[in-house]
Amino acid sequence: MFQNQPKGLIPAALSNMGERFGYYIMNAVLVLFLCSKFGLSEERSALIYSFFYAGIYVLSLVGGLIADKTQNYKTTIIWGLIIMTSGYVVLAFPIFATAENQNWLLTMTCCALFLIAFGNGLFKGNLQAIVGQLYDNPRYASQRDSGFQIFYVFINIGGVIAPFVAPMLRSWWLGENGLAYNASLPALCHEYLSLTDSMNTQNVNNLYALITEVGGNTKDIAAFCSEYLNVFNTGIHYSFIASVAAMLISLTIFICTKNGLPSPGKKEKEETIKYTADEKAAMAKEIKLRMAALFAVLGIAIFFWFSFHQNGTSLSLFARDFVKTDSVQPEIWQALNPFYVIILTPVVMFFFGRLSKRGKEISTPRKIAIGMGLAGLAYIFLAVFSLIKGYPSADAFKALPPETAAELKTGPWVLFVLYFFLTVAELFISPLGLSFVSKVAPKHLQGLCQGLWLGATAVGNLLLWIGPLIYNACPIWVAWTVFLSVCVVSMGIMLGMVNWLERVTGK
């Protein structure tokens, strides 16, 4: 697995683990946290989530431009880690949201999210560009795809641990205050505090039952609701302290190992080559062709990330609402994706390696097309399952009496199957997409081109709010069918471009 890989690969991957740790904490809790902290609707929380994750990737273009302009990738990366850390520090302060402070507190939270997104923009694409530069050495060129897959495994180790942190700290803090966890209670508490005189009778009865269940006092409902929301969300704030620690570890690793990573700016200053007019014209034509191929693949990536990153919006809500979470809290299911990445990457690499030895190597563009089809399989499964179960819209489901809803909920096995297919699809697209970008990108635009790949992810993330909107308004199989359609159409378009892309990249 590690044979014939450059020495800088593992330090670069370890430097990225802290960022992934914070990313997966946010991926697991952000939508649910905004709902429980501020009482926001799921649609509005998903909109903030969409802009935050789009910002991470849009700002990678800014980070790429800065690094390409200054030719100082390493300093840009260090500043990215510092700015990300400051954002998590702001989020770590547990301030209780009230009607009086909600506006400025939500604004401060969004500013912290911007700091995380901007720092990530300086960091993410430029580190990936450095990893790509490791394989510009002819000695390692043939190992580019496998190198990015190894890189992807290491950065997901933090992702396996992260989703357990927030639920663990939240449950611990609730227990310290004599309370217990319940996923439905924060929404009911917010509803009671804002609509005491007009709250739906069924919801009032549900609130009373849940207060008793978690060990609360029903004599003063308003006081209990305020206390529960404060304790519930303070536990989540503590998880951001863990993110700060992880970011500082990544910063330390990168500073200690950066001298062993490429310095493309210095290399280009040493190598001054003069070209004829014909050579310059040929180079310009080649760059245009490569950039056209890049943008074609970026268009497909948009729709993959629109479907895949539902794991932080509609799929997280599905885990909370329709899956039995008595023993496993909904955020924890986010660990399935990085866990599958770690255990399945060696299998996928072995599969690709065997095909290569037999002379049947699959090109990177064809792998990406196959990945879109695998993502479609995940949503076929979920759409058919939801249709068979007769699940209504999420809003209709949450209005059911608790006993009726509990009988209709499914077991966790559904999430195991769903994330298996989504993760295999990711392994065919994400690390190989990074490899494709590093392969076609002109040497003087590596940071920018990695930023463009992340920018395509940003566009996909800007569409994430559509998932919760359909999920709450229609029978949920309709939402899964929309994502299925996106994957199938994208796969068809990608297959139609494969021969051209293979010619551009030389396979």
Side-chain angles (χ1 to χ4, degrees), residues 259-270:
N259 290 336
L261 297 171
S263 297
K266 293 180 182 178
K267 189 182 293 183
E268 291 196 2
K269 288 177 182 177
E270 293 169 3

Side-chain angles (χ1 to χ4, degrees), residues 101-379:
N101 70 8
Q102 173 140 329
N103 287 337
W104 72 260
L105 187 57
L106 181 57
T107 301
M108 186 180 77
T109 299
C110 291
C111 288
L113 294 176
F114 174 78
L115 288 174
I116 295 169
F118 182 58
N120 214 310
L122 296 175
F123 170 82
K124 192 177 181 70
N126 291 316
L127 185 64
Q128 291 169 359
I130 283 180
V131 173
Q133 288 155 8
L134 290 170
Y135 294 91
D136 288 344
N137 185 332
R139 178 182 174 186
Y140 304 114
S142 63
Q143 300 298 317
R144 188 182 295 268
D145 277 7
S146 61
F148 271 98
Q149 287 173 319
I150 293 170
F151 178 75
Y152 213 66
V153 167
F154 271 81
I155 66 177
N156 274 277
I157 292 173
V160 172
I161 302 168
F164 291 89
V165 173
M168 179 184 69
L169 290 173
R170 181 180 57 206
S171 293
W172 163 75
W173 191 241
L174 284 166
E176 288 293 305
N177 288 270
L179 299 169
Y181 168 79
N182 186 280
S184 303
L185 199 46
L188 290 171
C189 287
H190 277 294
E191 186 178 355
Y192 184 87
L193 291 174
S194 60
L195 300 172
T196 306
D197 297 328
S198 58
M199 189 174 179
N200 180 283
T201 303
Q202 180 62 58
N203 286 351
V204 173
N205 294 335
N206 293 347
L207 177 60
Y208 271 71
L210 291 177
I211 290 174
T212 303
E213 182 181 312
V214 302
N217 190 335
T218 56
K219 291 182 179 179
D220 188 342
I221 303 300
F224 169 83
C225 287
S226 295
E227 179 192 11
Y228 191 82
L229 289 172
N230 189 21
V231 174
F232 187 96
N233 292 302
T234 296
I236 301 176
H237 280 288
Y238 290 158
S239 67
F240 297 127
I241 299 175
S243 294
V244 172
M247 296 302 304
L248 292 175
I249 292 171
S250 277
L251 179 61
T252 302
I253 291 172
F254 185 78
I255 290 174
C256 292
T257 62
K258 65 185 178 71
N259 290 336
L261 297 171
S263 297
K266 293 180 182 178
K267 189 182 293 183
E268 291 196 2
K269 288 177 182 177
E270 293 169 3
E271 300 173 3
T272 303
I273 302 173
K274 293 183 179 180
Y275 297 100
T276 66
D278 288 342
E279 287 173 331
K280 288 180 179 179
M283 290 168 61
K285 183 178 179 181
E286 175 69 15
I287 288 173
K288 287 181 181 178
L289 195 60
R290 286 172 172 266
M291 293 303 288
L294 175 61
F295 277 101
V297 174
L298 294 182
I300 299 300
I302 288 171
F303 295 106
F304 172 72
W305 294 117
F306 164 58
S307 302
F308 179 80
H309 277 159
Q310 293 298 321
N311 61 354
T313 54
S314 58
L315 293 178
S316 281
L317 299 174
F318 174 78
R320 183 197 65 186
D321 299 333
F322 289 89
V323 178
K324 295 175 183 175
T325 56
D326 301 334
S327 56
V328 181
Q329 296 174 31
E331 296 91 341
I332 290 177
W333 296 112
Q334 293 294 324
L336 278 177
N337 172 236
F339 171 73
Y340 276 142
V341 167
I342 292 169
I343 65 170
L344 292 177
T345 295
V347 177
V348 173
M349 290 179 64
F350 175 78
F351 173 70
F352 289 155
R354 294 287 292 177
L355 288 177
S356 181
K357 287 180 180 178
R358 294 178 181 180
K360 299 179 180 179
E361 185 174 358
I362 304 174
S363 68
T364 302
R366 199 173 294 273
K367 290 173 184 174
I368 292 173
I370 294 170
M372 292 303 302
L374 291 169
L377 285 179
Y379 284 110

Side-chain angles (χ1 to χ4, degrees), residues 475-491:
I476 60 171
W477 67 265
V478 175
W480 316 140
T481 303
V482 169
F483 304 131
L484 164 63
S485 302
V486 166
C487 293
V488 170
V489 171
S490 299
M491 179 183 68

